[in-house]
Amino acid sequence: MPLFTPDATMPPSLYYSADEAHPLATLDVDTIDHIVSDLRINSSEREHYVTGWMGAHSVVIIHHYQGKRGTASGLVLTKEGELRLSVQSITFRIPKFLLWMSLRRRPRTMALITYGQLGERQSPLVQYSQLTDKALKQRLEHEWQALNDYVGMACYQLENDQPLWRTLMDSLSADALAQWVASSRFDDKRLQQDGDFTGFWAGNVFISRRQVAVPALQLLWRDAQNQIQPGTLYTILCKCLFSEVTVQAVTELDNKAAHCHAPVPQRHCPFL
């Protein structure tokens, strides 16, 4: 059986790209605020979060985080087991003399870029401006450039009524997925358990199903380095088809736990 490889064609991009990304060292509040504004999917001014996925890596868009000393908006890229890169703009609410005494600054706004190592050697958050490792700073620049590519593709989808999602909706149906979940193809295979799912390998693709109150079909694949890559998880609920992993919007802070398909920080405190 030939190995499955995903379509490598890059979706169109708008406004942002790796080539046009502002360097982290000179990133300012206005640029960060524009990115957050361009990724807005509702008009709420309340604190809320939107989670997108760059492959297996979560990207959390923070809208109006509310803290005792001010508010913050920005992006948090998390690569599980590797790193967390946070790019946020902060508006302070503390009195000017306290702002000067604590942070030695007069403006009420500032860009805060922080890095944290994850995994076995987890480290506390460190400001980008305080990093001395040139190789690490170069890697974070590459991560930021890749994030700009992702943001540009997301902006194109938002500005053009989600053409990728509409193509998916036109090509799949809840009934078709229900037939797959009940397919006899699972009956003569040696099934493996993966959480709530059971499935089998077909070449480098793992096809699994969930047969509970909310039936679902899950597809995962291995790349050339034999690494599991995130596939697509579709869920049938009340005859409506929606993706659990493409975009997750959270409009109420207390409801975040119900939307988390992968670990998402429960509260993104921007202050060190």
Side-chain angles (χ1 to χ4, degrees):
M1 177 180 291
L3 294 182
F4 163 80
T5 55
D7 184 359
T9 304
M10 294 290 286
S13 185
L14 188 66
Y15 303 143
Y16 305 96
S17 68
D19 294 337
E20 298 176 341
H22 289 262
L24 288 173
T26 59
L27 200 59
D28 56 26
V29 168
D30 289 341
T31 301
I32 300 171
D33 287 343
H34 284 150
I35 293 175
V36 173
S37 177
D38 287 335
L39 292 174
R40 180 185 293 272
I41 63 174
N42 63 55
S43 58
S44 173
E45 295 299 324
R46 299 180 62 184
E47 176 183 343
H48 65 282
Y49 306 83
V50 177
T51 303
W53 299 89
M54 290 176 56
H57 315 305
S58 68
V59 179
V60 178
I61 314 300
I62 304 169
H63 295 264
H64 301 296
Y65 164 88
Q66 301 292 326
K68 292 182 179 179
R69 292 184 288 175
T71 63
S73 295
L75 305 90
V76 179
L77 168 65
T78 301
K79 290 191 168 184
E80 291 298 331
E82 297 184 45
L83 60 85
R84 175 169 290 134
L85 174 63
S86 172
V87 178
Q88 300 184 39
S89 67
I90 299 174
T91 301
F92 293 100
R93 283 199 299 259
I94 59 179
K96 289 184 178 180
F97 76 94
L98 289 179
L99 183 61
W100 173 254
M101 292 293 293
S102 59
L103 298 175
R104 289 295 188 268
R105 60 183 299 109
R106 296 185 186 279
R108 286 193 171 274
T109 61
M110 69 174 288
L112 180 62
I113 303 166
T114 59
Y115 156 79
Q117 182 175 344
L118 304 179
E120 295 181 358
R121 301 179 61 185
Q122 186 166 341
S123 68
L125 289 176
V126 180
Q127 290 195 48
Y128 177 83
S129 59
Q130 296 176 351
L131 294 174
T132 58
D133 188 329
K134 292 184 178 179
L136 175 58
K137 295 184 76 170
Q138 186 63 38
R139 182 190 175 182
L140 295 179
E141 284 288 354
H142 289 319
E143 298 290 356
W144 172 241
Q145 290 168 4
L147 184 55
N148 273 260
D149 270 339
Y150 173 79
V151 169
M153 289 183 283
C155 286
Y156 181 90
Q157 296 297 313
L158 289 173
E159 291 283 345
N160 292 276
D161 194 26
Q162 294 85 32
L164 285 177
W165 179 243
R166 286 188 285 106
T167 300
L168 176 65
M169 291 292 289
D170 292 341
S171 61
L172 291 175
S173 68
D175 290 339
L177 284 175
Q179 291 177 10
W180 254 105
V181 170
S183 172
S184 59
R185 300 189 184 198
F186 290 90
D187 298 339
D188 58 352
K189 301 292 192 301
R190 179 177 294 180
L191 301 181
Q192 301 178 27
Q193 194 75 28
D194 179 22
D196 293 337
F197 290 81
T198 55
F200 59 91
W201 284 97
N204 65 327
V205 180
F206 185 67
I207 304 172
S208 60
R209 64 182 178 181
R210 183 175 64 191
Q211 292 179 296
V212 291
V214 184
L217 177 69
Q218 178 178 250
L219 304 176
L220 302 173
W221 61 282
R222 292 184 183 274
D223 62 14
Q225 286 72 45
N226 205 35
Q227 298 293 316
I228 290 287
Q229 299 297 316
T232 310
L233 173 64
Y234 299 108
T235 301
I236 305 166
L237 179 61
C238 299
K239 295 299 181 181
C240 293
L241 178 67
F242 64 93
S243 169
E244 285 188 338
V245 299
T246 304
V247 174
Q248 299 163 332
V250 181
T251 55
E252 295 293 338
L253 186 63
D254 293 339
N255 291 339
K256 277 205 289 291
H259 292 266
C260 294
H261 184 70
V264 175
Q266 288 299 301
R267 198 164 175 84
H268 305 272
C269 182
F271 303 110
L272 298 177

